Amino acid sequence: MLKTLNWKDTPWQGPLAWLLAGGLALLLVSLAIQRLADRHLAADAERLAVGWGQQLGRAVPDFDRLFLGELPGPQAQERLGALRGTAGLLHFKLYDREGRLLLASESMGTAPREADTDPASRALAWQVAKDERPATQLLHGSDASQPAIYSRAWVPARLGQQVVGVVEVVVDQTQLAHTTATSFQRAAGVAVAAMLLCMAAAAALMRHRAGREKHVLDRVSYLAEHDVLTGALSHGPFNQRLQRACAQALPPGKAAAAGETPRGLAVICIDLDGFCEVNERHGHSIGDELLRRTGQRLQGVLRGADLLTRLAGDRFGILQLGAADSPSVTALVERIVDSLAQPHQLPGLADPVRVSACVGAALHGVDGEDADTLLHNAEMALLRAKASGRGAWSFYDASLDRTLQERRALAADLRVALQHGRLKLHFQPVYAGDGSTLKGYEALARWLHPTRGNVPPASFIPVAEDTGQIEALGRWVLQTACAEAATWPAPLAVAVNLSTAQFHRGQAIVNEVRQALLDSGLQAERLELEITESLLMQHTEQVLATLHALRGLGVRIAMDDFGTGYSSLAYLWRFPFDKLKIDRAFTQGLGGDPRVDVIVRSIVRLAHSLSIRVNAEGVETEHQRDALRRLGCDELQGYLLGRPAPCERLTHLESEVVGVVVPDVVLA
Ligand code: C2E
Ligand code: CA
Ligand code: CA
């Protein structure tokens, strides 16, 4: 987790800090201003003293003689006396170059006595004369006889360029000091106000920057913890909370023993049915929107502290806290299934999109104790739910584990088999209703596994569909079947089974069929494609368009396994099928329950009235063959007439049917 120092975390926060800073600033500014004011006063005193020195030289007759120790005459005394009191001049003294006092303003008529001045002043006067540089002192009056603030300044007195002595002046600066202090205080006030303003501006800037930084940090940590698309928790944090919940869980049994309330939890996995088709049909932005809305709906059905995560693609996980028994999990699962079954009105699409979801659940204490096991088992339960159809849900069952592992191994082996061309096609003859005229063959995939032996298509086709290998497998079957059929005498036809999953990529199947015909040179009317009603149950419009496009190539379309689905009849009028193949379950029921005969007869009549030919599968006995012939079936297919066999065994001869069921052809 990112951690930066936040100004809000420091003690420099709040009004107290600002008060302290302001007070300190005020103190510093006041001190600085005091110093400035003092210097200003000292400079002023010095300027005054220099002025006085010059003034004395000009205004006092025989001024130079005063430095030779002469006392001023009456006129000079008058002038000197007149100068006193003006511009704050209190006293003045004259010293010679050696610092000896020559004249004091208080006793101008008499020679000063040594006691009239202090040695420090004399020493200063001597120093000033020697250095030819003025000296100043700023002083505060210590009693009522002295001004509150006054300056003493010693300046060299010159005659031409030569220093002849030193003038000491004492100037009352109380008034000036007051004026200076007032104006400096004002200036200080303005300066402090300006400083506080600057600090406030800086603080506002810092606060703004910190706010922005906090916003960025919040966003970064949100993104680190959540799936951007759906807002669900990321896998890492979800797993941590799941682990914590497992550590704190208390199953009902233990809780009862300890006299405490049970703390249960459950893990629920959810997978959308038909999400891939939505993605492929409407594009990824619609797919994303669907996922976003799925996330919202799931958040909507959660309660309290329950957590949602996106495990992968269209697969979500939920940690249900407080679920102590299966009824509470069931309640949530049912809410999920119901919520996700509602159609989505997505932007830009005229029709609502319908996807359902399968759900698997694992309860802590029953289906696992730790996070990994619970997640794994919830996924197992999900797979079981998916196997039983759309919108299904299931709890975990230990036997599922083995099934799934077996399925994974089979998928891996199938991949290798496909890559190395280990799959074969067998062809089962299809005869005319008379049972003797050969019409063609149905291509059936065969896989002889080195250790598993003969793996039936009913096992590996669903695995191929689940793992996406059906595309490669289907393409191979089409190519091989067409290439083989092209070598047969015309008009023998070949029927190829198409899986629903082969229609997921829109019209891609049309191109594949066209390509197979082109590559093999087989006439289109000799190729028949068998589909099941499950295909028509999904996204009918797109599927119908694809079927029409296929038919546009000249191939025939047959509905396989007719009668096994829920509503086979409902699909008959939706597409002009060329043929329907009655499932072998009906064939096997003939001659037993008379109602089967009635149903088969009805199917045949219905199909014929729609100009659809009828094939009956699974003919194993002569009795079945005869019954089907009587019932008006156009084509017959089954072990009685011929088992699926590799192409090298096909003779293309008319049937010489025997009443015995021959064993299946041994695979090469
Ligand atoms: P299906 O299309 O209904 O194929 C007919 C199945 O019935 C074949 O089983 C065939 O061997 C079997 N059969 C034929 N005559 C008789 C009979 O008289 N009695 C009995 N009991 N069975 C008979 P198979 O080959 O095991 O295929 C099973 C299913 O696997 C097929 O059912 C078809 O749905 C699928 N399948 C087979 N090959 C392919 C393929 O290349 N592509 C796709 N997508 N599916 C295939
Ligand atoms: Ca078939
Ligand atoms: Ca069939």
Side-chain angles (χ1 to χ4, degrees), residues 425 428 442-446 456-462 465 470 473-474 476-478 496-500 502 530 532 560-561 581 583-584 588 617-621 624 637-644 661 664:
L425 272 191
Q428 181 174 35
E442 177 178 0
L444 295 160
R446 293 288 176 266
S459 299
F460 69 82
I461 294 289
E465 287 173 341
I470 193 69
L473 193 153
W476 170 79
V477 172
L478 260 172
V496 170
N497 292 284
L498 289 188
S499 165
T500 299
Q502 287 174 268
E530 298 188 5
T532 57
D560 203 357
D561 304 342
K581 298 183 76 172
D583 191 72
R584 70 167 178 273
Q588 262 133 42
E617 292 186 286
V619 185
E620 291 183 355
T621 65
Q624 289 166 351
Q637 189 181 344
Y639 291 169
L640 174 75
L641 303 151
R643 290 193 167 240
V661 175
D664 210 343

Side-chain angles (χ1 to χ4, degrees), residues 70 91 232 253-254 256 263 376 421 442 508 532 626 646:
E70 289 184 15
H91 315 284
K254 286 186 191 165
R263 290 188 298 273
H376 175 262
E442 177 178 0
T532 57
D626 296 341

Side-chain angles (χ1 to χ4, degrees), residues 272-606:
L272 295 183
D273 303 317
F275 173 73
C276 290
E277 288 96 279
V278 174
N279 236 353
E280 279 159 14
R281 189 172 172 203
H282 300 296
H284 287 272
S285 60
I286 288 289
D288 284 356
E289 185 57 29
L290 181 60
L291 287 177
R292 200 172 2 253
R293 291 183 185 213
T294 303
Q296 282 167 2
R297 285 192 185 176
L298 288 173
Q299 295 279 17
V301 298
L302 297 188
R303 303 263 159 89
D306 296 351
L307 294 174
L308 175 73
T309 186
R310 183 147 78 111
L311 296 168
D314 60 337
R315 188 162 289 192
F316 291 83
I318 285 174
L319 162 60
Q320 188 189 10
L321 291 163
D325 51 16
S326 46
S328 50
V329 183
T330 307
L332 174 57
V333 167
E334 283 175 346
R335 285 207 303 278
I336 292 170
V337 172
D338 286 350
S339 165
L340 297 186
Q342 303 305 314
H344 293 266
Q345 192 66 58
L346 298 179
L349 297 188
D351 295 327
V353 168
R354 287 171 200 278
V355 282
S356 49
C358 281
V359 180
L363 185 64
H364 181 269
V366 179
D367 304 323
E369 302 282 335
D370 61 281
D372 286 348
T373 312
L374 282 170
L375 257 173
H376 175 262
N377 291 351
E379 295 221 29
M380 295 287 129
L382 173 64
L383 287 174
R384 182 157 82 156
K386 282 196 92 71
S388 41
R390 296 175 155 240
W393 63 269
S394 165
F395 270 96
Y396 171 70
D397 176 342
S399 65
L400 284 174
D401 249 350
R402 289 188 296 279
T403 314
L404 187 88
Q405 269 156 27
E406 171 58 22
R407 224 173 140 82
R408 281 199 188 126
L410 198 67
D413 287 359
L414 179 62
R415 200 172 296 279
V416 175
L418 264 172
Q419 278 165 0
H420 293 87
R422 294 194 187 132
L423 259 59
K424 299 275 177 273
L425 272 191
H426 279 199
F427 296 89
Q428 181 174 35
V430 178
Y431 285 91
D434 59 15
S436 61
T437 314
L438 184 67
K439 304 288 285 180
Y441 299 88
E442 177 178 0
L444 295 160
R446 293 288 176 266
W447 179 17
L448 181 61
H449 189 279
T451 54
R452 295 172 196 273
N454 212 350
V455 185
S459 299
F460 69 82
I461 294 289
V463 168
E465 287 173 341
D466 278 2
T467 54
Q469 299 184 66
I470 193 69
E471 282 186 23
L473 193 153
R475 224 178 356 257
W476 170 79
V477 172
L478 260 172
Q479 296 270 352
T480 316
C482 289
E484 190 52 42
T487 66
W488 303 337
L492 287 183
V494 67
V496 170
N497 292 284
L498 289 188
S499 165
T500 299
Q502 287 174 268
F503 285 76
H504 287 171
R505 288 186 302 122
Q507 303 259 317
I509 183 69
V510 183
N511 297 333
E512 283 171 16
V513 170
R514 188 190 290 115
Q515 197 59 48
L517 291 171
L518 270 176
D519 291 350
S520 61
L522 183 73
Q523 293 117 303
E525 60 271 20
R526 291 176 63 193
L527 174 63
E528 191 168 276
L529 302 173
E530 298 188 5
I531 61 154
T532 57
E533 73 171 43
S534 63
L535 175 66
L536 291 167
M537 287 167 71
Q538 308 168 11
H539 312 300
T540 322
E541 297 310 318
Q542 185 217 333
V543 164
L544 286 178
T546 307
L547 286 176
H548 279 291
L550 285 171
R551 212 149 173 264
L553 297 176
V555 303
R556 283 171 295 158
I557 310 286
M559 186 192 260
D560 203 357
D561 304 342
F562 188 83
T564 54
Y566 296 106
S567 50
S568 308
L569 279 175
Y571 295 106
L572 274 190
W573 60 268
R574 295 205 134 195
F575 184 78
F577 287 98
D578 297 286
K579 186 191 286 183
L580 63 82
K581 298 183 76 172
I582 301 178
D583 191 72
R584 70 167 178 273
F586 291 98
T587 305
Q588 262 133 42
L590 288 172
D593 187 340
R595 284 178 298 186
V596 177
D597 296 56
V598 173
I599 291 172
V600 173
R601 181 176 290 115
S602 306
I603 293 174
V604 174
R605 280 200 189 138
L606 176 75

Side-chain angles (χ1 to χ4, degrees), residues 203-215:
L205 201 72
M206 271 167 69
R207 184 181 281 273
H208 174 74
R209 269 212 336 237
R212 218 178 45 188
E213 201 171 294
K214 185 171 180 320
H215 176 74

